[in-house]
Amino acid sequence: MKKLIFLYVLLTFTIGYSQILDPVTWSTSVEKISDTEYILVSKATIEEGWHLYAQTVPEDGPIPTTFIYDDSEGAFKILGNTSEEVGHTVDDPVFGMTIKFFEKTATFKQKITVEKEVATIDGFVEFMVCDDTRCLSPTEVELTFSLRGMSEKEAQVISYKSLSKNIPEESGQGLWGIFFIAFLSGLAALLTPCVFPMIPMTVSFFTKQSKTKAAGIKNAVTYGICIIVIYLLLGIAVTGIFGADALNALATNVWFNIFFFLLLVIFAVSFLGAFEIMLPNSWANKVDSQADRGGFIGIFFMALALAIVSFSCTGPIVGTLLVEAASKGGVAPVVGMFGFSLAIALPFALFAAFPGWLNSLPKSGGWLNTVKVFLGFLELALAFKFLSQADLVLQAHLLEREVFLAIWITIFGTLAFYLFGKIQLPHDSPLPHISIGRLSLGLVVLSFTIYMIPGLWGAPLNLISAFPPPLEYSESSYGVGYSRMGTSSVLSVNEGLPDGAHLLAPHDILAFNDYDKGLAYAKKIGKPVMIDFTGWACVNCRKMEQNVWPNPKVLNILKNEVVLISLYVDDKRPLEANEVTESKLRPGKQLKYIGQKWSELQTIRYKANSQPFYVLMDHNEENLLPPVGYMSNPEDYHSWLQTGIESFEK
């Protein structure tokens, strides 16, 4: 069981996913008034939690919904303005102003008079949708209205996704990952000194209160369900606060990462025994008094009492899960709390229903505090991941790869010494000997510590490649005592690097961070362009660069067959004064940072905001094949690259 705790942190570190959102679907129909007069009807179906803005919005607000009808042939005339429904006028939390918008559905009507015979009328709608925390980029959707026998049921459905067919679908594995990690977290929480001793106490209560075995099983099941409900309510509350989908920028926000670093340090210090994070005793006393009541109410308050009393141990774990899940967006907090509560509820319910099983449980003792301390070390290591992300986004170079690895080696090395009994902390019991389980776990941690040491000299460390800063973000990109391995074969040895280019360590891939310079060089040498929309704080980007790109076939293409342009969408360095421009997504707002420039390019051109995002294009900036996102299989990624190159050569 203790090995599961170690697995818990390794898996926690590997969760990372992004989303492509298309919450609006448009359909068209036509209402015939007479032989020459018609009403063009455009209906928007809007997903739950999103809203579509009206045709008129205040200055400095969102992009309004705008309809354009192609009357260039003079076949019809537009009569008046496009009408819209009443909608909702509220104080919008995103823009901080009173705005009219629509939820669930919105219908727009435009009256026309036909002057020539015409079968269809074309047009398009430009619109923006937001939820309570974020907005998607303005989108244009083509509309077609048939004036010949089209009824409402036969309306042509045009979806945002269908016009963005080059955007890859994202898998739903993120929610399964959240659930699995949360479930393991619940198992880890069970083995803490605040929760484990509660199991026999709970069993004793149900044994005394239940007159028959059937009643005992029924009460135990009810108790387990109540535990799940309590934590689900917490997850639902967080989902409500963060909205249906959290801000995509949250994971790259400097202040969020610094705050989470400090929060995890506090959690870690608490687990290590410096102090306890506890809810007010008055809460526990009031809830405990209600638990004496019979029936469902009493059982529910017993479950609530468990949650409050055990908070000093479960709080840091739940807090970590909730913030991590909230940054993923959607229903991730609810899924996380379901997995966590299920892991806790099942043992309590099963042991309460079958008290005889208690004989198989180990006795409470000092090992419970060992579990708590172990989790404290893991929380401390995870904290530096978030500090590293803030440093990467700022490009401050305060926590480069070698420094990060040195900190992790120190943390896990200290943990190994602790597990071997060489270090004692405030709440530890005397340790006359080391158990087999503790020794085994100590050996695993020591092996992991030794595994990381070569990383100080440039080893890639593929097992944890997503978590330290990338290899090029280090004091010595090629490893201590080493220089670059050679020159990329697109260059001769004496030619030198082109303007704006650098060699991406440690594989010596020629790369540009400027779009125009990279495109110009590609035209000069006659090779296709690969745009790599990436981010300094992008976990999956690092996994691609360190696990997929080194594949010999992939690396050969990246070094010799394409010109790589890496655009960091979270680069917070300011643009040069002559490069500051007005945002096309938010008129009146300026693009001041390098990352904003590349993020807007990706959003407008490809209607995508997830990283990594790879585009292969020709010299006319046309896609050679549909772009792709994260691909863990090198063979699949090589096939995509090869297909694009073959298309370029035709």
Side-chain angles (χ1 to χ4, degrees), residues 17-21 160 163-170 248 515 529-536 538-545 549 558 563-569 598-617 621 623-631 637 640-641:
Y17 69 99
S18 53
Q19 295 175 320
I20 298 296
L21 305 169
Y160 174 39
L163 295 179
S164 306
K165 58 187 178 182
N166 286 345
I167 300 175
E169 293 286 340
E170 300 291 336
N248 190 44
Y515 181 89
V529 171
M530 189 181 98
I531 304 178
D532 166 27
F533 287 102
T534 184
W536 290 112
C538 172
V539 172
N540 282 342
C541 300
R542 302 293 84 77
K543 291 166 72 174
M544 287 290 295
E545 292 162 10
W549 286 14
L558 294 178
V563 174
L564 176 66
I565 304 177
S566 294
L567 305 178
Y568 289 83
V569 301
W598 305 136
S599 178
E600 182 153 305
L601 173 67
Q602 182 189 7
T603 304
I604 292 176
R605 182 176 294 183
Y606 301 106
K607 296 183 175 64
N609 58 1
S610 63
Q611 293 82 43
F613 190 77
Y614 304 108
V615 181
L616 275 175
M617 68 180 195
E621 301 177 72
N623 290 354
L624 296 169
L625 75 171
V628 298
Y630 174 70
M631 301 174 72
Y637 192 65
W640 177 79
L641 288 168

Side-chain angles (χ1 to χ4, degrees), residues 67-380:
F67 291 88
I68 302 295
Y69 305 96
D70 184 9
D71 57 352
S72 58
E73 299 295 328
F76 67 95
K77 285 186 178 180
I78 297 173
L79 303 178
N81 297 322
T82 302
S83 64
E84 62 185 24
E85 296 175 323
V86 177
H88 305 279
T89 301
V90 298
D91 292 327
D92 190 276
V94 177
F95 293 97
M97 58 179 66
T98 302
I99 305 178
K100 177 182 176 181
F101 61 64
F102 307 98
E103 296 179 314
K104 296 183 179 180
T105 62
T107 301
F108 303 86
K109 296 184 177 183
Q110 175 64 61
K111 188 175 182 180
I112 64 168
T113 178
V114 176
E115 298 189 345
K116 297 180 182 178
E117 185 174 351
V118 59
T120 60
I121 292 176
D122 296 324
F124 68 87
V125 57
E126 181 184 27
F127 63 95
M128 173 185 279
V129 289
C130 301
D131 64 8
D132 290 338
T133 60
R134 67 176 298 168
C135 293
L136 301 185
S137 59
T139 305
E140 288 187 5
V141 172
E142 296 178 357
L143 304 173
T144 300
F145 303 87
S146 174
L147 305 188
R148 295 292 180 265
M150 175 174 277
S151 65
E152 184 71 26
K153 293 182 180 180
E154 297 170 329
Q156 178 184 2
V157 178
I158 305 173
S159 71
Y160 174 39
K161 185 194 300 185
S162 67
L163 295 179
S164 306
K165 58 187 178 182
N166 286 345
I167 300 175
E169 293 286 340
E170 300 291 336
S171 69
Q173 62 183 358
L175 289 180
W176 281 109
I178 286 286
F179 173 82
F180 184 55
I181 294 303
F183 189 83
L184 289 179
S185 302
L187 295 179
L190 276 173
L191 301 178
T192 59
C194 312
V195 181
F196 192 81
M198 298 288 288
I199 296 177
M201 295 172 58
T202 304
V203 173
S204 175
F205 173 85
F206 283 113
T207 302
K208 293 177 181 178
Q209 295 294 322
S210 304
K211 297 181 180 180
T212 65
K213 184 176 181 180
I217 294 176
K218 177 183 176 182
N219 290 337
V221 171
T222 304
Y223 180 69
I225 292 174
C226 288
I227 293 175
I228 294 174
V229 168
I230 289 168
Y231 283 101
L232 277 180
L233 290 175
L234 182 60
I236 291 170
V238 172
T239 301
I241 292 171
F242 281 86
D245 289 278
L247 285 170
N248 190 44
L250 191 62
T252 61
N253 182 276
V254 173
W255 296 113
F256 167 80
N257 280 286
I258 292 176
F259 168 76
F260 201 25
F261 162 72
L262 295 174
L263 185 66
L264 288 186
V265 169
I266 292 172
F267 287 164
V269 173
S270 171
F271 270 160
L272 293 176
F275 54 84
E276 286 193 351
I277 302 173
M278 299 182 65
L279 295 176
N281 288 330
S282 58
W283 292 17
N285 293 334
K286 289 180 180 179
V287 170
D288 192 54
S289 65
Q290 296 296 320
D292 293 332
R293 301 170 61 178
F296 174 79
I297 298 298
I299 294 174
F300 177 82
F301 277 100
M302 266 202 67
L304 186 58
L306 170 69
I308 293 175
V309 171
S310 63
F311 183 80
S312 61
C313 291
T314 60
I317 300 174
V318 169
T320 304
L321 276 173
L322 282 176
V323 179
E324 177 72 7
S327 69
K328 303 303 180 188
V331 296
V334 178
V335 173
M337 287 302 94
F338 176 68
F340 180 84
S341 60
L342 183 63
I344 289 184
L346 277 176
F348 273 92
L350 289 173
F351 283 115
F354 306 100
W357 291 3
L358 277 177
N359 296 328
S360 62
L361 280 180
K363 294 182 179 180
S364 299
W367 68 272
L368 291 175
N369 190 68
T370 301
V371 172
K372 190 176 178 181
V373 170
F374 183 87
L375 293 175
F377 277 103
L378 298 188
E379 293 270 7
L380 188 60

